[in-house]
Structure formats: structure tokens, C-alpha cells
Amino acid sequence: MRPATRATPQLSATPAPTTTEAVSAIVPVLRDESAVAELHRAYKAALAGQGREIEFLYVLDWRARKALAALTALKDEGEALSLIVLSRWDGEGAALRSAFQRARGGTVLVLSGSRQVDPRDVPKVLEGLAGHDMAVARRTTLSRSWFETVQARLFQWLIRILFGRTIADPVCRVRACRRQVMEDIAGYSVQQHFLPLLAAERGFHIAEVEVRRGDPTEDSARRFGGFNVLSRLRLAFDAMSLFVVLKFIHKPLRFFGTAGLPILLIGLVYTGFLGFSRLFFGMPLADRPALILGVLLIVLGIQVIALGLIGEIIIFASGKRIKDYTIERIL
């Protein structure tokens, strides 16, 4: 049970006005430890020479008492940062969306709550936005066992098969993008690992920036489920669900038809064969469940295809409210 004396911060429902030259640094805090205060100082020192206003927004669960106390102490010392305390943690994707609604910078910088990368290389990620819409950090000094390497390559192979592209270090949480990108993809409830792929599918240009690993003694990948079998399986299922949503959201009949048409054809051929055998060879069907199976396959195939047709009707009716394009520029 939550403590009755826990104070809930009051957040304005109206987002702050957008400042084009400002950078909004969003940091989801996944671990409850006071080291986040030292990490904030390192990020601030690295971004101090950018010549632009930097705002820090930290998102954390209400149960992260050590991290909340450390960040609150920084605010009391005069540090300009905002704390967004969630009453329920619904994943990192929801945390990013809650922070983006209150960000006012024209550039959104997503940072890790642990030393996944060297803070001194964070400005390189911002520089990677030159000529691109999103820049993704890629760590160059990852140490993996052969088993972890096999898992990572299989996962990247799956991503490449599904989306036609992949990113070298999907576990790294350091990304920078223009505000337009986040406004376009923030509504999708996907894991943050797939945000670059989602942005690329929406037509935005993605760049990968090589950075150094933050703390060689800290295996962030293992702690956050980056290179273990269970997390890879979860990410694989999430990738397949994202593929289905992106590829068939506007053409549901293609998805349901691909599944229903083979079932319908198998049922028709099987039932036709049974009927032909009964008429011309006298094969009895009264005491065999084969005919029931054939009829069930036919009915199932028709129902699956009908679901696709219903989906097409829904998409057609709401097509005016669906935006399926992104304008790069108008000459």
C-alpha cells in the first residue's frame, strides 16, 4: 500500500511554449540510486558548451526514493531541472511521452539514467542531427560473449527482415531528434528500442553516431535486459507486433486475407476431395469427422477474411483522420 503522506507533485496540464533553440533533455530513471545526481552533473558539464538553453526533465517512479531524494536535493541547490514522478510505471515509452508533453525545446535529447555512454560524447549525438532528423548513439567498445553476440546478430537479422533496416546498438538509450519527429511518433505505444525504426518507417532520416561506453565496470546491457534470452524474445515479439501494425494498419485485408485465404482453399480442396470420393468411389462419410473438419476450415477461412473486410470498412470510414505521410520539404 502506498504511504498516505507521500506528496504528489502538481504538474500543469498545459505544455510550456516551444522554444526552437532550446534542447529538452529527457532522462527516464530506471534504477533507484543516488548516483543519478552525479550523472546529472556530468551531462550538464558536457552540454554546457552548446550555446543553447538546456532543460532537463527526469521521469521516475514514485517508489524510486533514493533517486528522487538526490534529484530533489539538486533542485534545492538551484539546479534547473524538472522532476516528473509517475504514480504508476507503465514502461519507458510511457515515461518518454509524459516528459515530451512538458518539453519545450525544438530538439529532444533522450539520455540514459545510467552511464551507458561517456557523457562527454553526448554533444556528438546532437551534432549528428546536422542533415538528419534523428541521431542514435552507437557504442563502439561493447564487450560480449559469443552467446550474446549470436543473440544480438539473430535479433538484428530479424529486424532487418521485417523492416529492411536495423540499428547497430538498439539497447543504447541515448538519442537526439527534432521535435517534429517526436510529435509524429510519440503517439505509438512502442518500446523505446524501436523508436528509430518507427521514425525511419515514417520517412525521417536516421544517423548513427559512434560514442564511447560510459563505465566499463558497469554491464548496463545485462542489467537492463539488453543481451539475455528472455528479453530478446520479448523484443522479438514486440518487433513482430510493430511490423504488423505498421505494414497492415491501412490494409487490414492483406493481413487477414494472407491468413484466411490458405485456410479457405485447404478447406475447399479437402471437402471437394471428400465429396468426389463419396460420389464416385462410394467412400462413406457418416462415421468420419473428416467432413466436419473440412467444413470448419471453410467457415474459419471465411470468418478470417471477413475480419479483414470489416477492418477495410473501418479504415475507409476514418481515412480522413489518418495521416500516413510525412512532408520533408516544399520547394
Side-chain angles (χ1 to χ4, degrees):
M1 181 178 296
R2 300 177 188 173
T5 58
R6 178 175 63 88
T8 302
Q10 299 297 323
L11 297 175
S12 174
T14 303
T18 302
T19 304
T20 305
E21 297 299 326
V23 177
S24 297
I26 300 176
V27 188
V29 180
L30 305 183
R31 289 187 294 179
D32 185 19
E33 56 184 26
S34 58
V36 66
E38 179 183 352
L39 184 61
H40 169 77
R41 295 188 181 95
Y43 283 146
K44 181 181 178 181
L47 296 171
Q50 292 298 304
R52 293 190 288 180
E53 179 185 354
I54 308 293
E55 67 165 351
F56 285 90
L57 299 98
Y58 287 84
V59 191
L60 64 162
D61 188 7
W62 68 273
R63 293 166 295 186
R65 302 184 183 280
K66 294 180 181 179
L68 180 59
L71 293 172
T72 303
L74 285 177
K75 282 185 65 66
D76 294 339
E77 294 173 5
E79 289 289 336
L81 54 90
S82 299
L83 303 181
I84 302 174
V85 184
L86 301 180
S87 60
R88 187 182 67 178
W89 187 265
D90 290 327
E92 196 170 355
L96 290 176
R97 291 194 299 272
S98 65
F100 174 69
Q101 293 174 357
R102 294 164 179 85
R104 59 187 182 88
T107 300
V108 178
L109 176 63
V110 180
L111 299 174
S112 173
S114 65
R115 288 183 180 268
Q116 282 194 325
V117 304
D118 191 333
R120 294 172 295 179
D121 286 349
V122 172
K124 294 173 59 177
V125 182
L126 284 176
E127 295 171 1
L129 280 179
H132 298 87
D133 300 303
M134 174 179 282
V136 182
R138 180 177 71 240
R139 294 170 293 179
T140 58
T141 57
L142 284 177
S143 58
R144 298 172 177 171
S145 65
W146 68 267
F147 186 59
E148 293 170 344
T149 302
V150 170
Q151 293 181 56
R153 290 181 178 177
L154 287 176
F155 178 72
Q156 290 185 356
W157 173 81
L158 174 64
I159 295 299
R160 189 177 297 277
I161 292 296
L162 293 177
F163 301 98
R165 61 179 62 87
T166 186
I167 53 178
D169 191 4
V171 179
C172 186
R173 290 168 165 81
V174 179
R175 287 90 184 263
C177 65
R178 307 189 187 280
R179 187 177 185 88
Q180 178 189 358
V181 180
M182 288 300 294
E183 289 177 348
D184 196 283
I185 67 177
Y188 291 87
S189 298
V190 300
Q191 291 197 31
Q192 59 86 21
H193 304 285
F194 303 115
L195 289 181
L197 293 174
L198 181 57
E201 286 290 325
R202 297 293 298 168
F204 296 106
H205 302 291
I206 311 298
E208 294 191 57
V209 181
E210 292 188 357
V211 298
R212 293 167 293 182
R213 187 175 179 178
D215 187 358
T217 63
E218 176 185 310
D219 196 344
S220 301
R222 289 189 181 90
R223 291 194 184 192
F224 292 120
F227 297 105
N228 59 70
V229 177
L230 184 59
S231 62
R232 288 290 182 187
L233 288 176
R234 286 198 297 262
L235 288 178
F237 285 122
D238 290 338
M240 288 186 286
S241 64
L242 178 62
F243 169 78
V244 171
V245 170
L246 292 180
K247 297 299 182 181
F248 301 105
I249 186 63
H250 300 295
K251 294 294 181 181
L253 183 58
R254 294 183 181 180
F255 174 74
F256 289 100
T258 303
L261 186 59
I263 298 175
L264 177 61
L265 292 178
I266 293 174
L268 290 174
V269 172
Y270 188 50
T271 305
F273 171 76
L274 292 176
F276 182 83
S277 300
R278 177 67 180 87
L279 292 175
F280 295 96
F281 297 98
M283 181 181 295
L285 297 178
D287 56 346
R288 297 178 58 190
L291 182 61
I292 298 178
L293 175 61
V295 174
L296 286 177
L297 289 175
I298 294 175
V299 174
L300 178 60
I302 293 175
Q303 287 180 336
V304 173
I305 295 175
L307 287 176
L309 291 174
I310 295 174
E312 289 284 347
I313 295 173
I314 295 174
I315 294 297
F316 179 80
S318 59
K320 295 182 179 180
R321 299 191 300 269
I322 299 177
K323 179 186 176 183
D324 56 355
Y325 60 89
T326 300
I327 298 176
E328 179 180 354
R329 60 181 179 269
I330 299 176
L331 304 179

